[in-house]
Amino acid sequence: MIRLEELDNYIQSLVSRIAGLNKAVLTIEEDHFASQLRDINQNQYPLLLVAFPSANSTGQTVDSIKWNNVTLFYILHKPSKSNRTYTQEIAEMQTLQDLTIQIKNQILEDITTPPWSCSFIKDTDTNSLTIDPERNLLSHEGWSLGFKFNTI
């Protein structure tokens, strides 16, 4: 299981390293995210919302236990207006998709590049990466990037 402080440090570093990503927050579930939205200003979007990872143990003995962690990174914005044209909607989703790809590429680079190659990210299961579109997540839309990683 990963320490939340370590995960938070990592996602905050993504905000400082990826142009166009304005804020990152950890959240437990949808209700928790809803309460966090009250403190987010329009200029803080696009937002990186990261779900607390779930963890399942593996190993046959106490000495061999490792944790398989699963998390989702949501790259989101709040649509500017409900009467957007098709072209506006596609353009907004394309911007968020480009950010999602940048985050994915940064994670892949961090697997082998210090200082992050010494952190949890080095044990990312690259076969587990998933990217999906998201819509109507508390009136937000964008993309989710899911992946698994192992910890001791």
Side-chain angles (χ1 to χ4, degrees):
M1 180 185 310
I2 187 172
R3 290 182 49 82
L4 293 177
E5 183 179 80
E6 182 180 0
L7 180 57
D8 190 52
N9 287 340
Y10 183 73
I11 66 172
Q12 299 309 323
S13 82
L14 290 175
V15 172
S16 65
R17 295 184 291 153
I18 297 177
L21 189 59
N22 294 324
K23 186 170 179 68
V25 293
L26 288 171
T27 193
I28 299 170
E29 59 184 17
E30 198 170 305
D31 289 343
H32 185 224
F33 177 45
S35 70
Q36 291 171 315
L37 285 176
R38 287 179 237 143
D39 297 328
I40 297 173
N41 300 321
Q42 191 62 31
N43 65 346
Q44 293 176 304
Y45 292 100
L47 166 73
L48 175 60
L49 172 72
V50 177
F52 284 20
S54 61
N56 296 306
S57 67
T58 64
Q60 299 298 318
T61 67
V62 172
D63 294 331
S64 67
I65 288 179
K66 290 189 178 187
W67 293 95
N68 292 327
N69 302 268
V70 178
T71 192
L72 285 169
F73 283 27
Y74 294 92
I75 299 82
L76 302 171
H77 81 128
K78 191 167 189 171
S80 52
K81 48 187 166 176
S82 60
N83 60 346
R84 289 179 299 170
T85 66
Y86 172 80
T87 304
Q88 290 169 325
E89 182 177 355
I90 295 300
E92 289 176 0
M93 288 298 287
Q94 182 63 61
T95 298
L96 295 170
Q97 185 182 46
D98 291 344
L99 269 176
T100 303
I101 291 167
Q102 288 179 48
I103 292 168
K104 184 249 327 164
N105 290 342
Q106 189 65 62
I107 289 169
L108 294 175
E109 181 180 323
D110 289 345
I111 290 171
T112 59
T113 307
W116 300 109
S117 61
C118 298
S119 73
F120 76 94
I121 208 71
K122 75 179 181 320
D123 290 318
T124 297
D125 178 358
T126 56
N127 288 319
S128 71
L129 293 167
T130 61
I131 296 176
D132 292 302
E134 301 290 341
R135 188 171 172 110
N136 293 326
L137 181 62
L138 296 173
S139 301
H140 288 70
E141 63 186 23
W143 298 86
S144 61
L145 168 63
F147 62 96
K148 297 176 184 177
F149 58 93
N150 298 309
T151 54
I152 296 174

